[in-house]
Amino acid sequence: MHTISRATLFVLIGSVLAMLNSGCAGDDLETTQAGFLTELEPAQLSNAVLGEYSPPHGGIAGEREAEDYLLKLINQDRRRFGLQPLKMDEDLRRAARGHSREMIALDYFSHFSPLPGRETCRDRIAGTGITEAEVGENLARLYIGGSPDWRRLVELAHSKLMASPSHRDNLLRETFNYIGLGVIKGYQDGDLGLHITENFATRVFEIDEIKVEPGPTEETYLVRVRGRQLDDGYASLQVDRSPYDWVPVACDSEGRFETWIEIAADSGRRLLSLGIGPDRLGHRNLCNEWYVDTDRPPEKARLLIPTN
């Protein structure tokens, strides 16, 4: 066993930065260097932080065991407060790992990224799929001197996040039902430790498929959406958030649905939204959104991130 001379944890949300100090002891931790990321070309770096680049020699990678253990700790606390456990989502995990990798590679610690298209938490989550009704993000980094025990590091990070009111609010928010965790090992000023990103989402719909195909006439596209509604209320599929251009979403007894809507071809980029409201004619909260570029062929028309 090695005595840890110091342990520094930073937790961040919004504009609030809390620096907390503690001590711990632990066993050896398998280590990997993050330095290779700083040597990549810009295009390679973009792919690396998105999880699409394979690090050389088994370099820095998401620590799945640590992430699953952190999820266990989070859900233990949620159950203690009478809340439903969060489900791990692989797309949210990918976004969280990407942000942790990026912060290590570019040597910063913030919710706001310097990379175009990844500036905010919502941008990064949208980059893995369609947007969610509500998203949140917690950040933590913990680097220590000595040889740490990763379980103790995860436990310490979680306990400090729970002790911070703003982070605790995300961890115990009743409306959140999905989470993605990115626990990444790295070095900082000669010390070994972890960067942690926690991405939260309120998912009202589970989307199985979004398909754009030619419409019944050459002047139209047909957008089909198949999935399951997870919350009560009357759902609709809307175009450009219009109160007039929408179709109802009819679900079976298990909440499953398949619906479609026609949009005009060659009409530029269109915003499609899945909404849910208290009644068919009442206000609808826009829960999931994505873009369709009708100037492209149908098979290339769906956009995950809006482009200028």
Side-chain angles (χ1 to χ4, degrees), residues 232-249:
D232 294 332
Y234 293 97
S236 67
L237 178 61
Q238 301 171 253
V239 179
D240 296 328
R241 300 182 181 173
S242 169
Y244 309 106
D245 194 359
W246 61 275
V247 297
V249 174

Side-chain angles (χ1 to χ4, degrees), residues 61-89:
E63 303 296 336
R64 183 173 292 267
E65 186 178 4
E67 292 159 359
D68 291 345
Y69 182 57
L70 179 56
L71 177 63
K72 179 181 177 180
L73 297 177
I74 292 170
N75 281 336
Q76 282 177 349
D77 280 332
R78 287 181 65 89
R79 290 188 181 95
R80 185 161 58 90
F81 286 92
L83 301 173
Q84 290 297 312
L86 298 174
K87 299 178 183 178
M88 182 76 85
D89 178 81

Side-chain angles (χ1 to χ4, degrees), residues 14-29:
S15 60
V16 178
L17 175 62
M19 186 167 65
L20 307 161
N21 297 287
S22 181
C24 62
D27 299 316
D28 291 340
L29 171 66

Side-chain angles (χ1 to χ4, degrees), residues 89-267:
D89 178 81
E90 290 304 315
D91 286 335
L92 290 174
R93 192 199 304 245
R94 181 174 172 235
R97 285 179 173 178
H99 192 53
S100 291
R101 289 190 183 105
E102 179 187 308
M103 288 189 292
I104 293 171
L106 302 184
D107 191 24
Y108 76 92
F109 185 62
S110 173
H111 291 287
F112 300 99
S113 166
L115 296 185
R118 295 176 52 80
E119 288 88 347
T120 69
C121 166
R122 184 171 289 278
D123 292 333
R124 294 186 289 273
I125 292 175
T128 68
I130 60 178
T131 59
E132 305 293 354
E134 182 182 22
V135 299
E137 183 176 79
N138 285 348
L139 301 180
R141 61 180 177 181
L142 177 59
Y143 285 82
I144 66 175
S147 300
D149 176 349
W150 70 264
R151 287 177 65 93
R152 288 287 296 123
L153 289 187
V154 171
E155 290 167 357
L156 178 60
H158 177 66
S159 67
K160 297 300 184 182
L161 287 167
M162 282 292 292
S164 166
S166 53
H167 298 83
R168 180 187 177 97
D169 179 65
N170 273 345
L171 289 162
L172 299 182
R173 186 169 301 182
E174 185 176 5
T175 54
F176 284 149
N177 53 8
Y178 282 84
I179 192 172
L181 299 171
V183 180
I184 302 297
K185 300 175 186 175
Y187 286 111
Q188 179 175 286
D189 298 327
D191 291 335
L192 178 67
L194 303 172
H195 265 64
I196 297 175
T197 301
E198 299 176 340
N199 284 154
F200 306 87
T202 300
R203 184 160 297 167
V204 182
F205 299 96
E206 284 182 349
I207 307 300
D208 296 328
E209 182 182 41
I210 301 173
K211 186 176 182 181
V212 184
E213 57 190 48
T217 70
E218 293 183 358
E219 291 77 26
T220 60
Y221 279 13
L222 199 64
V223 182
R224 297 183 182 274
V225 184
R226 183 170 58 85
R228 185 163 68 97
Q229 184 176 331
L230 304 176
D231 203 358
D232 294 332
Y234 293 97
S236 67
L237 178 61
Q238 301 171 253
V239 179
D240 296 328
R241 300 182 181 173
S242 169
Y244 309 106
D245 194 359
W246 61 275
V247 297
V249 174
C251 300
D252 64 18
S253 59
E254 297 180 347
R256 306 209 67 83
F257 66 86
E258 181 173 356
T259 190
W260 58 89
I261 194 168
E262 291 184 39
I263 55 177
D266 300 320
S267 60

Side-chain angles (χ1 to χ4, degrees), residues 36-53 98 101-102 105-106 115 118:
F36 80 91
L37 276 174
T38 61
E39 301 172 358
L40 298 179
E41 296 296 324
Q44 291 178 310
L45 176 61
S46 178
N47 285 337
V49 299
L50 288 171
E52 297 167 355
Y53 179 79
R101 289 190 183 105
E102 179 187 308
L106 302 184
L115 296 185
R118 295 176 52 80

